[in-house]
């Protein structure tokens, strides 16, 4: 029996309103030799009922579907890892349940992977706002540490949904998802793979549609989110071997942790000082953005809290 060409992993939690469009575009793929792995992370809504309803409309796909059910909510990282552990495809890709894909996305990417014998194949994507769509082009030409710098700087997005990755390559590199990482798990996952990849290829088409939701995890600010961010950037030290890369890592730390001292709801000067130790002040941006870092670094935590609360009222 030949190996499945592509495994697509979909972590599911509280997306009843959006998941039907996602699943239909997956089942309508022009690539036939696929497997679909849905991981129900103890979703409290009717998301899985929607999946089952849509599946009934595509009976020819039923034998290709695997459903993993968690008996408690374990988070996106555990969902992604459990999905990967259950996969058998030559290549693996993830799809977020509130997004959707072009019908030929996986066929085009798999064909490119075969043509170039690539470890990773990327594509462009579309940001789907309620009122507009914005196409985003990617540059997957970076290799090794240059790719690390490109991802850290935001020049290359770190999304798992825009990358089809050879399953054997992931296993050989011993890259896994860490349960304690609940945000930016994609960056921590793809960074070592790009760093080690022998061949990265690219399909110059916008094949993935990323829904911009105001209530999505990327827009939710919590202490747990910042704790995850700090852990990610601490681990990424291992992939910065040059001064240029380390400087970019520190700049990204500065931008990603500023919310700890500029948002009253997540205010934690002690954690912020620990996370940004050694980050030059100029990495925080303009003079306005350096105000809170300056106050907190000089022990004026209460004054800074008063300032940011006043700023919110203005």
């Amino acid at each position: 029996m030949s190996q499945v060409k592509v495994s697509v992993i979909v972590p599911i939690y509280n997306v009843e309103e959006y998941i039907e469009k996602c699943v239909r575009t997956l089942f309508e793929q022009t690539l036939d030799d696929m497997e679909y792995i849905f991981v129900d992370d103890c979703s409290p809504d009717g998301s899985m009922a929607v999946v089952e309803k849509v599946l009934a409309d595509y009976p020819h796909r039923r034998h290709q579907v695997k459903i993993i059910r968690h008996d408690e909510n374990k988070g996106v990282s555990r969902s992604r890892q459990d999905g990967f552990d259950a996969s058998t495809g030559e290549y693996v890709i993830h799809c977020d349940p509130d997004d959707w894909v072009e019908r030929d996305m996986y066929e085009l990417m798999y064909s490119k992977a075969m043509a170039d014998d690539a470890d990773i194949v990327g594509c462009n994507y579309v940001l789907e706002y309620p009122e507009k769509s914005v196409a985003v082009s990617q540059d997957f030409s970076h290799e090794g540490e240059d790719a690390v710098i490109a991802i850290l700087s935001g020049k290359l997005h770190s999304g798992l949904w825009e990358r089809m990755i050879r399953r054997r390559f992931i296993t050989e590199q011993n890259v896994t998802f860490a349960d304690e990482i609940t945000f930016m798990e994609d960056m921590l996952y793809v960074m070592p793979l790009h760093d080690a990849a022998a061949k990265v290829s690219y399909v110059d088409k916008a094949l993935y549609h990323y829904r911009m939701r105001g209530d999505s995890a990327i827009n939710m600010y919590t202490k747990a989110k910042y704790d995850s961010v700090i852990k990610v950037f601490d681990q990424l030290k291992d992939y910065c071997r040059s001064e240029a890369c380390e400087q970019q890592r520190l700049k990204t730390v500065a931008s990603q942790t500023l919310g700890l001292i500029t948002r009253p709801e997540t205010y934690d000067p002690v954690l912020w000082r620990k996370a940004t130790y050694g980050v030059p002040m100029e990495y925080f941006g303009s003079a306005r953005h350096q105000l809170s870092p300056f106050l907190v670094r000089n022990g004026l935590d209460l004054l800074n809290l008063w300032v940011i609360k006043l700023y919110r009222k203005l």
Side-chain angles (χ1 to χ4, degrees):
M1 185 175 178
S2 61
Q3 185 179 14
V4 173
K5 292 178 179 177
V6 176
S7 299
V8 56
I9 299 165
V10 187
I12 298 174
Y13 184 80
N14 206 24
V15 285
E16 181 179 1
E17 181 180 352
Y18 310 103
I19 196 169
E20 180 172 352
K21 186 170 187 176
C22 173
V23 177
R24 288 193 183 279
T25 61
L26 292 178
F27 288 161
E28 291 177 1
Q29 286 298 296
T30 56
L31 181 66
D32 289 327
D33 194 5
M34 296 180 60
E35 68 176 0
Y36 303 90
I37 303 172
F38 298 100
V39 184
D40 176 15
D41 193 23
C42 202
S43 186
D45 64 356
S47 295
M48 292 308 300
V50 175
V51 173
E52 293 287 358
K53 183 191 76 171
V54 175
L55 181 55
D57 294 337
Y58 300 86
H60 64 291
R61 293 294 195 188
R62 184 169 290 277
H63 72 284
Q64 298 171 285
V65 172
K66 296 179 180 178
I67 296 178
I68 299 171
R69 300 185 189 275
H70 289 165
D71 54 8
E72 62 180 3
N73 180 249
K74 298 182 179 181
V76 66
S77 290
R78 174 44 52 186
S79 295
R80 293 195 191 281
Q81 187 61 48
D82 286 349
F84 178 81
D85 291 343
S87 68
T88 61
E90 185 179 359
Y91 283 81
V92 175
I93 192 167
H94 295 252
C95 181
D96 287 352
D98 47 356
D99 301 334
W100 68 96
V101 299
E102 292 294 312
R103 292 181 66 249
D104 58 352
M105 175 172 176
Y106 300 136
E107 182 176 15
L108 290 174
M109 296 182 77
Y110 181 78
S111 295
K112 185 65 173 176
M114 290 295 96
D116 295 349
D117 190 25
D119 292 319
I120 303 172
V121 177
C123 70
N124 298 331
Y125 60 95
V126 181
L127 295 175
E128 298 288 356
Y129 295 89
E131 70 285 355
K132 63 180 179 179
S133 299
V134 179
V136 179
S137 295
Q138 295 279 73
D139 181 1
F140 281 88
S141 65
H142 305 281
E143 298 180 352
E145 193 178 51
D146 287 341
V148 173
I149 294 173
I151 293 171
L152 285 170
S153 67
K155 293 179 180 178
L156 180 60
H157 195 275
S158 61
L160 289 159
W161 34 261
E162 62 189 322
R163 287 171 172 80
M164 184 175 287
I165 308 173
R166 199 193 314 261
R167 189 181 189 283
R168 186 182 71 245
F169 174 60
I170 296 172
T171 302
E172 289 172 347
Q173 297 303 315
N174 196 30
V175 174
T176 58
F177 293 97
D179 287 1
E180 69 273 15
I181 303 300
T182 58
F183 187 73
M184 285 189 169
E185 79 286 348
D186 51 357
M187 182 180 287
L188 187 58
Y189 194 82
V190 305
M191 193 81 76
L193 295 173
H194 271 277
D195 191 42
K199 177 66 177 179
V200 177
S201 293
Y202 168 62
V203 177
D204 190 13
K205 289 186 177 181
L207 300 174
Y208 191 92
H209 297 264
Y210 186 94
R211 191 189 299 269
M212 301 298 290
R213 290 169 49 194
D215 62 343
S216 67
I218 197 170
N219 294 311
M220 302 293 285
Y221 293 91
T222 65
K223 285 284 187 68
K225 168 183 172 178
Y226 287 110
D227 182 61
S228 181
V229 168
I230 291 166
K231 289 177 180 176
V232 166
F233 286 110
D234 187 57
Q235 293 184 48
L236 292 181
K237 289 178 182 177
D238 295 341
Y239 305 103
C240 283
R241 298 175 292 275
S242 69
E243 183 178 351
C245 185
E246 177 60 9
Q247 287 178 347
Q248 183 57 63
R249 188 186 69 85
L250 292 177
K251 288 177 182 178
T252 311
V253 168
S255 65
Q256 291 294 327
T257 61
L258 204 54
L260 282 170
I261 55 171
T262 58
R263 293 180 177 275
E265 62 271 26
T266 56
Y267 199 66
D268 193 334
V270 175
L271 180 59
W272 180 86
R273 280 190 288 265
K274 182 179 178 181
T276 63
Y277 180 80
V279 177
M281 283 294 295
E282 60 266 26
Y283 287 2
F284 294 99
S286 65
R288 181 171 70 88
H289 289 110
Q290 289 181 30
L291 176 59
S292 286
F294 174 81
L295 292 175
V296 173
R297 282 211 170 151
N298 284 277
L300 303 173
D301 300 352
L302 292 178
L303 175 59
N304 182 57
L305 183 58
W306 179 84
V307 169
I308 61 175
K309 286 183 176 178
L310 178 63
Y311 179 77
R312 289 290 182 91
K313 293 179 181 181
L314 296 178

